[in-house]
Amino acid sequence: MEQFFSCHGRRLLQASLWKDGVHMRASSGLSVLRKSGACQGPLTRTFPIWWAHSGCLAGSAPRLFKNHLQRSDIPSRWASGATYNSPPSSEFVARSVGVCTMMRLPLQSSPEGLDAAFVGVPLDIGTSNRPGTRFGPRRIREESVLLRAVNPSTGALPFQSISVADIGDVDVNLYNLSDSCRLIREAYQRIAAASCIPLTLGGDHTITYPILQVLAEKHGPVGLLHVDAHTDTADKALGEKLYHGTPFRRCVEEGLLDCKRVVQIGIRGPSMTLNPYKYNRDQGFRVVLAEDCWLKSLVPLMGEVRQQMGDKPIYISFDIDALDPAYAPGTGTPEIAGLTPSQALEIIRGCQGLNVVGCDLVEVAPIYDPSGNTALLAANLLFEMLCVLPKVKTV
């Protein structure tokens, strides 16, 4: 806790300094956000800041004297000596306080200097049933306030290992799907150029196609762990070859995937043919049906997946409709009899040690789940993805 003094003399304030801003909270509930520039972590010492009120009445809004807090006042390191961002503790900063970013991490305008970044792609014009995934990134961020800095179950310490921030949303074109894919490509080219691993908040599954275009350009054809109720390898619908049912067909056609290292898990649902997975298996994909996952642990399966993927680059694409709608109703194309949240954790945790070069969590449509549980589940799965990135230390 940091000590500050108000113009009333002795008011104790709590502060959490983030990489791109200072957030201060008074015991009265008054708050202010002031950009500080170059802070690398929270304060590790106490110093005074003087406040001036617009009046001396109780509850009047505080403001900082201009330029009183200098950049040199802000230490650049944690007490431990690390220089990484971390979510603020709710012990000192209320979860309802602050700008709504993923895990309340700093909001950064560029991927420069980051090892990994959360990025939103609020797109839903590629959906075939219920729209609404354009609101997915925002709701996932809202629910992510419940996440914390370490993963006791796996021993992962992401915020003591790598530099992570939220870099906002791709500015998509909601009136043109092809143009949106161009905008996504351009945004991810900047991310890839910075050697930053993207953790994407979708958005419908169309967005994975332009992302993989960029990552394959950087890494060559990548392996794919695709968790979904649907294979998303249709050729076209209503005459269109680009929508959320076709991204991996387009990826195969463009040579973006190492097809012998593609695994699809959770596939299920009615079909128009008796052999709906022929195309996938003809390409060399391993298709694991949801019914083959019922009532069992997926730890053995993920052992096989790790052997299949080897040490080459792999991308994780997780459609929230892979989960049973009892757990994740907030999606546009739900299918009954899906995976459980514990199986989802086993899948992602089973990627520990793989050369993960990017991840996405797509198809959250929060309007169909007022409880927020679908978005909460999505936020937790994104945290688990962060925890399996190659540079993240475990204890």
Side-chain angles (χ1 to χ4, degrees):
M1 181 180 293
E2 309 303 327
Q3 293 185 7
F4 301 94
F5 300 94
S6 74
C7 62
H8 295 297
R10 291 284 180 181
R11 172 175 293 174
L12 188 65
L13 298 154
Q14 300 168 351
S16 173
L17 293 185
W18 299 330
K19 183 173 181 179
D20 290 320
V22 182
H23 179 206
M24 301 174 190
R25 178 179 178 273
S27 57
S28 65
L30 300 175
S31 62
V32 63
L33 181 69
R34 182 179 185 273
K35 301 296 282 184
S36 65
C39 181
Q40 298 285 329
L43 282 172
T44 58
R45 64 184 173 91
T46 299
F47 62 91
I49 287 183
W50 297 97
W51 299 80
H53 287 205
S54 57
C56 291
L57 298 176
S60 54
R63 61 182 177 85
L64 284 170
F65 278 125
K66 184 179 181 182
N67 298 326
H68 190 79
L69 178 62
Q70 302 298 323
R71 182 172 295 179
S72 60
D73 290 325
I74 302 170
S76 62
R77 293 182 177 271
W78 292 88
S80 65
T83 59
Y84 305 123
N85 302 322
S86 183
S89 170
S90 59
E91 182 180 357
F92 302 116
V93 182
R95 290 193 173 102
S96 57
V97 169
V99 176
C100 186
T101 62
M102 187 65 185
M103 297 186 68
R104 298 190 292 171
L105 287 166
L107 180 61
Q108 187 166 311
S109 59
S110 164
E112 295 296 329
L114 298 176
D115 298 302
F118 292 104
V119 53
V121 185
L123 185 73
D124 64 359
I125 59 174
T127 55
S128 58
N129 190 39
R130 303 188 300 197
T133 57
R134 70 180 65 182
F135 304 114
R138 182 173 299 178
R139 190 59 189 269
I140 293 170
R141 287 181 172 112
E142 289 176 357
E143 298 298 333
S144 74
V145 299
L146 282 172
L147 299 176
R148 300 166 183 87
V150 301
N151 191 330
S153 297
T154 65
L157 304 170
F159 300 106
Q160 296 181 34
S161 310
I162 60 176
S163 180
V164 190
D166 189 326
I167 58 171
D169 293 333
V170 177
D171 187 12
V172 295
N173 182 348
L174 293 177
Y175 306 110
N176 188 316
L177 189 56
S178 295
D179 191 47
S180 284
C181 287
R182 175 187 64 82
L183 293 166
I184 294 167
R185 274 193 305 273
E186 291 175 355
Y188 279 76
Q189 284 168 347
R190 293 189 290 272
I191 295 170
S195 298
C196 175
I197 297 177
L199 298 117
T200 303
L201 293 65
D204 73 57
H205 223 152
T206 312
I207 70 174
T208 307
Y209 167 51
I211 294 171
L212 286 175
Q213 286 180 312
V214 172
L215 294 181
E217 183 179 14
K218 180 179 177 68
H219 300 285
V222 298
L224 174 68
L225 177 62
H226 173 209
V227 189
D228 202 324
H230 314 97
T231 62
D232 293 351
T233 52
D235 184 31
K236 59 185 177 180
L238 303 178
E240 298 295 329
K241 296 178 76 69
L242 186 60
Y243 78 108
H244 75 163
T246 63
F248 301 116
R249 184 97 165 211
R250 304 287 84 86
C251 288
V252 169
E253 292 169 351
E254 295 184 20
L256 309 181
L257 300 177
D258 180 355
C259 293
K260 300 301 182 185
R261 295 193 305 121
V262 175
V263 179
Q264 298 181 301
I265 302 175
I267 308 302
R268 63 191 189 277
S271 176
M272 299 301 293
T273 70
L274 289 176
N275 191 10
Y277 315 120
K278 182 179 186 304
Y279 172 84
N280 305 61
R281 290 171 171 151
D282 286 348
Q283 310 312 309
F285 293 9
R286 180 178 182 180
V287 180
V288 181
L289 302 181
E291 60 198 70
D292 296 326
C293 301
W294 291 346
L295 305 176
K296 67 177 66 172
S297 168
L298 300 187
V299 170
L301 169 64
M302 291 310 299
E304 297 172 6
V305 170
R306 283 195 301 276
Q307 286 189 329
Q308 182 175 349
M309 295 299 175
D311 59 1
K312 296 179 181 179
I314 173 181
Y315 186 85
I316 302 172
S317 185
F318 201 115
D319 188 324
I320 201 67
D321 71 21
L323 297 168
D324 191 273
Y327 305 106
T331 191
T333 49
E335 302 283 357
I336 66 165
L339 304 179
T340 67
S342 59
Q343 289 176 318
L345 292 178
E346 289 178 328
I347 291 170
I348 298 175
R349 291 174 181 177
C351 294
Q352 179 71 45
L354 295 178
N355 184 12
V356 179
V357 297
C359 313
D360 65 48
L361 191 294
V362 298
E363 298 289 353
V364 172
I367 191 173
Y368 308 112
D369 182 9
S371 74
N373 287 342
T374 305
L376 175 62
L377 182 51
N380 276 271
L381 296 181
L382 282 159
F383 173 66
E384 295 286 341
M385 292 177 191
L386 173 66
C387 289
V388 301
L389 295 186
K391 293 182 180 180
V392 172
K393 295 180 293 188
T394 59
V395 294

